[in-house]
PDB file of all heavy atoms in Angstrom:
ATOM      1  N   PRO A 262    -103.849  -7.391  67.511  1.00  0.00           N
ATOM      2  CA  PRO A 262    -104.613  -7.387  66.263  1.00  0.00           C
ATOM      3  C   PRO A 262    -105.011  -5.981  65.850  1.00  0.00           C
ATOM      4  O   PRO A 262    -105.207  -5.099  66.700  1.00  0.00           O
ATOM      5  CB  PRO A 262    -105.863  -8.223  66.608  1.00  0.00           C
ATOM      6  CG  PRO A 262    -105.917  -8.288  68.088  1.00  0.00           C
ATOM      7  CD  PRO A 262    -104.546  -8.052  68.612  1.00  0.00           C
ATOM      8  N   GLY A 263    -105.081  -5.771  64.529  1.00  0.00           N
ATOM      9  CA  GLY A 263    -105.524  -4.471  64.030  1.00  0.00           C
ATOM     10  C   GLY A 263    -106.960  -4.211  64.453  1.00  0.00           C
ATOM     11  O   GLY A 263    -107.797  -5.108  64.411  1.00  0.00           O
ATOM     12  N   GLU A 264    -107.193  -2.976  64.874  1.00  0.00           N
ATOM     13  CA  GLU A 264    -108.592  -2.625  65.194  1.00  0.00           C
ATOM     14  C   GLU A 264    -109.233  -2.315  63.831  1.00  0.00           C
ATOM     15  O   GLU A 264    -109.110  -3.110  62.916  1.00  0.00           O
ATOM     16  CB  GLU A 264    -108.585  -1.428  66.142  1.00  0.00           C
ATOM     17  CG  GLU A 264    -107.582  -1.619  67.305  1.00  0.00           C
ATOM     18  CD  GLU A 264    -108.198  -1.586  68.692  1.00  0.00           C
ATOM     19  OE1 GLU A 264    -109.329  -1.111  68.828  1.00  0.00           O
ATOM     20  OE2 GLU A 264    -107.544  -2.059  69.631  1.00  0.00           O
ATOM     21  N   LYS A 265    -109.860  -1.171  63.700  1.00  0.00           N
ATOM     22  CA  LYS A 265    -110.365  -0.854  62.342  1.00  0.00           C
ATOM     23  C   LYS A 265    -109.177  -0.757  61.394  1.00  0.00           C
ATOM     24  O   LYS A 265    -109.215  -1.192  60.255  1.00  0.00           O
ATOM     25  CB  LYS A 265    -111.152   0.460  62.361  1.00  0.00           C
ATOM     26  CG  LYS A 265    -112.545   0.261  62.962  1.00  0.00           C
ATOM     27  CD  LYS A 265    -113.369   1.525  62.918  1.00  0.00           C
ATOM     28  CE  LYS A 265    -114.711   1.269  63.598  1.00  0.00           C
ATOM     29  NZ  LYS A 265    -115.289   2.476  64.173  1.00  0.00           N
ATOM     30  N   THR A 266    -108.112  -0.145  61.884  1.00  0.00           N
ATOM     31  CA  THR A 266    -106.848  -0.115  61.124  1.00  0.00           C
ATOM     32  C   THR A 266    -105.724  -0.444  62.102  1.00  0.00           C
ATOM     33  O   THR A 266    -105.884  -0.318  63.317  1.00  0.00           O
ATOM     34  CB  THR A 266    -106.566   1.288  60.540  1.00  0.00           C
ATOM     35  OG1 THR A 266    -106.352   2.180  61.642  1.00  0.00           O
ATOM     36  CG2 THR A 266    -107.704   1.788  59.682  1.00  0.00           C
ATOM     37  N   CYS A 267    -104.588  -0.830  61.534  1.00  0.00           N
ATOM     38  CA  CYS A 267    -103.417  -1.110  62.381  1.00  0.00           C
ATOM     39  C   CYS A 267    -102.930   0.177  63.052  1.00  0.00           C
ATOM     40  O   CYS A 267    -102.373   0.144  64.149  1.00  0.00           O
ATOM     41  CB  CYS A 267    -102.310  -1.738  61.550  1.00  0.00           C
ATOM     42  SG  CYS A 267    -102.693  -3.447  61.112  1.00  0.00           S
ATOM     43  N   GLN A 268    -103.123   1.280  62.384  1.00  0.00           N
ATOM     44  CA  GLN A 268    -102.702   2.569  62.954  1.00  0.00           C
ATOM     45  C   GLN A 268    -103.435   2.826  64.276  1.00  0.00           C
ATOM     46  O   GLN A 268    -102.851   3.328  65.233  1.00  0.00           O
ATOM     47  CB  GLN A 268    -102.977   3.707  61.959  1.00  0.00           C
ATOM     48  CG  GLN A 268    -102.504   5.090  62.406  1.00  0.00           C
ATOM     49  CD  GLN A 268    -100.995   5.172  62.631  1.00  0.00           C
ATOM     50  OE1 GLN A 268    -100.206   4.557  61.920  1.00  0.00           O
ATOM     51  NE2 GLN A 268    -100.578   5.917  63.659  1.00  0.00           N
ATOM     52  N   GLN A 269    -104.715   2.444  64.323  1.00  0.00           N
ATOM     53  CA  GLN A 269    -105.471   2.640  65.566  1.00  0.00           C
ATOM     54  C   GLN A 269    -104.878   1.815  66.708  1.00  0.00           C
ATOM     55  O   GLN A 269    -104.788   2.278  67.838  1.00  0.00           O
ATOM     56  CB  GLN A 269    -106.933   2.217  65.346  1.00  0.00           C
ATOM     57  CG  GLN A 269    -107.819   3.357  64.905  1.00  0.00           C
ATOM     58  CD  GLN A 269    -109.265   2.893  64.823  1.00  0.00           C
ATOM     59  OE1 GLN A 269    -109.561   1.863  64.236  1.00  0.00           O
ATOM     60  NE2 GLN A 269    -110.157   3.650  65.426  1.00  0.00           N
ATOM     61  N   THR A 270    -104.485   0.572  66.388  1.00  0.00           N
ATOM     62  CA  THR A 270    -103.851  -0.308  67.396  1.00  0.00           C
ATOM     63  C   THR A 270    -102.603   0.361  67.952  1.00  0.00           C
ATOM     64  O   THR A 270    -102.362   0.380  69.155  1.00  0.00           O
ATOM     65  CB  THR A 270    -103.473  -1.673  66.755  1.00  0.00           C
ATOM     66  OG1 THR A 270    -104.626  -2.204  66.120  1.00  0.00           O
ATOM     67  CG2 THR A 270    -102.928  -2.639  67.778  1.00  0.00           C
ATOM     68  N   TRP A 271    -101.834   0.915  67.027  1.00  0.00           N
ATOM     69  CA  TRP A 271    -100.580   1.600  67.407  1.00  0.00           C
ATOM     70  C   TRP A 271    -100.887   2.817  68.288  1.00  0.00           C
ATOM     71  O   TRP A 271    -100.274   2.997  69.351  1.00  0.00           O
ATOM     72  CB  TRP A 271     -99.828   2.010  66.139  1.00  0.00           C
ATOM     73  CG  TRP A 271     -98.730   3.005  66.373  1.00  0.00           C
ATOM     74  CD1 TRP A 271     -98.757   4.333  66.101  1.00  0.00           C
ATOM     75  CD2 TRP A 271     -97.449   2.745  66.948  1.00  0.00           C
ATOM     76  NE1 TRP A 271     -97.573   4.926  66.473  1.00  0.00           N
ATOM     77  CE2 TRP A 271     -96.748   3.971  66.996  1.00  0.00           C
ATOM     78  CE3 TRP A 271     -96.820   1.599  67.432  1.00  0.00           C
ATOM     79  CZ2 TRP A 271     -95.449   4.083  67.508  1.00  0.00           C
ATOM     80  CZ3 TRP A 271     -95.521   1.702  67.938  1.00  0.00           C
ATOM     81  CH2 TRP A 271     -94.859   2.936  67.975  1.00  0.00           C
ATOM     82  N   ASP A 272    -101.812   3.643  67.853  1.00  0.00           N
ATOM     83  CA  ASP A 272    -102.142   4.870  68.602  1.00  0.00           C
ATOM     84  C   ASP A 272    -102.605   4.543  70.020  1.00  0.00           C
ATOM     85  O   ASP A 272    -102.228   5.210  70.980  1.00  0.00           O
ATOM     86  CB  ASP A 272    -103.236   5.671  67.877  1.00  0.00           C
ATOM     87  CG  ASP A 272    -102.730   6.251  66.548  1.00  0.00           C
ATOM     88  OD1 ASP A 272    -101.488   6.331  66.385  1.00  0.00           O
ATOM     89  OD2 ASP A 272    -103.563   6.592  65.678  1.00  0.00           O
ATOM     90  N   LYS A 273    -103.422   3.495  70.135  1.00  0.00           N
ATOM     91  CA  LYS A 273    -103.986   3.123  71.429  1.00  0.00           C
ATOM     92  C   LYS A 273    -102.878   2.685  72.394  1.00  0.00           C
ATOM     93  O   LYS A 273    -102.834   3.087  73.556  1.00  0.00           O
ATOM     94  CB  LYS A 273    -104.986   1.971  71.212  1.00  0.00           C
ATOM     95  CG  LYS A 273    -106.033   1.833  72.294  1.00  0.00           C
ATOM     96  CD  LYS A 273    -107.133   0.894  71.775  1.00  0.00           C
ATOM     97  CE  LYS A 273    -108.054   0.472  72.881  1.00  0.00           C
ATOM     98  NZ  LYS A 273    -109.046  -0.496  72.412  1.00  0.00           N
TER      99      LYS A 273
END
Side-chain angles (χ1 to χ4, degrees):
E264 313 239 343
K265 284 183 183 152
T266 65
C267 287
Q268 184 61 36
Q269 268 185 311
T270 307
W271 165 256
D272 292 341
K273 203 166 168 184

